[in-house]
Amino acid sequence: MKYRTVFDIIGPIMIGPSSSHTAGAARIGRVARTLFGREPKWANIYFYGSFAKTYKGHGTDVAIVGGLLDFDTFDNRITNAIKISESKGIQINFYEEEAVTDHPNTAKIVLGDDKDKLELVGISIGGGKIEIIELNGFELRLSGNHPAILVVHNDRYGVIANVSNILAKYQINIGHMEVSRKEKGQEALMVIEVDQNVEGPLLKEMEALPNINKVTKIHD
């Protein structure tokens, strides 16, 4: 693994004990909360590999719930996240999975409320860094370390060009971009990591484009 700065080696400011099992887990949970757009009423959390074996001792369970409550990695409330979720009436279930995954620190979160649900798979790659590798059945690669725009759209010609034109209009530079689809001509997901945070007017213009179903932003 290559490190770009000293902070990649030291890791994030966080509640311990482990950057990969605690800070990474909190970030996975927080990305799920951000993408869902609100506090869920329930969440089923599935741990794989090393997460499944050590999640209680390393605080992975409280960390991921803290993320779902929108707590940052250094928030002292993380240690009481499960009790806080219970006080809010949020139903949390944990499952230890035996399936072998490509990465040992893998978690799947299925969360929702009376209106909608979301399914996300994330991995903690060390030093508090994460990757989201699946969202509602779409394969993707989202680091969570940079501002990003997720665009759910119909798989039609011209959609990517229209989205790119709006980014150019607002002078937003693209750092990484990928498109995933389940089947040709059906629903697709565009993931765009950018160099600066995006604001409301840009997102509203994207949402108004033809064949756009949903636009979500993630800030760094």
Side-chain angles (χ1 to χ4, degrees), residues 132-133 139-142 149 153 160 174 176-180 189-193:
I132 306 303
I133 60 173
E139 294 183 359
L140 70 156
R141 189 183 67 186
L142 177 66
I149 306 168
H153 61 96
I160 297 173
I174 298 173
H176 173 78
M177 179 177 180
E178 62 181 45
V179 179
S180 175
L189 174 67
M190 198 182 313
V191 179
I192 310 165
E193 290 191 341

Side-chain angles (χ1 to χ4, degrees), residues 27-37 70 118 120 130-135 140-151 172 189-199 202-203 206 214-220:
R27 284 181 168 168
I28 292 171
R30 201 175 188 201
V31 169
R33 161 66 181 262
T34 299
L35 293 175
F36 190 62
D70 205 26
L118 177 144
L120 174 149
I130 67 167
E131 284 187 1
I132 306 303
I133 60 173
E134 187 175 316
L135 176 64
L140 70 156
R141 189 183 67 186
L142 177 66
S143 71
N145 295 320
H146 306 284
I149 306 168
L150 279 71
V151 183
I172 302 294
L189 174 67
M190 198 182 313
V191 179
I192 310 165
E193 290 191 341
V194 294
D195 289 344
Q196 64 256 56
N197 289 328
V198 295
E199 302 301 334
L202 181 152
L203 299 173
M206 280 192 182
K214 185 178 181 181
V215 179
T216 306
K217 69 175 180 178
I218 297 177
H219 280 179
D220 61 350

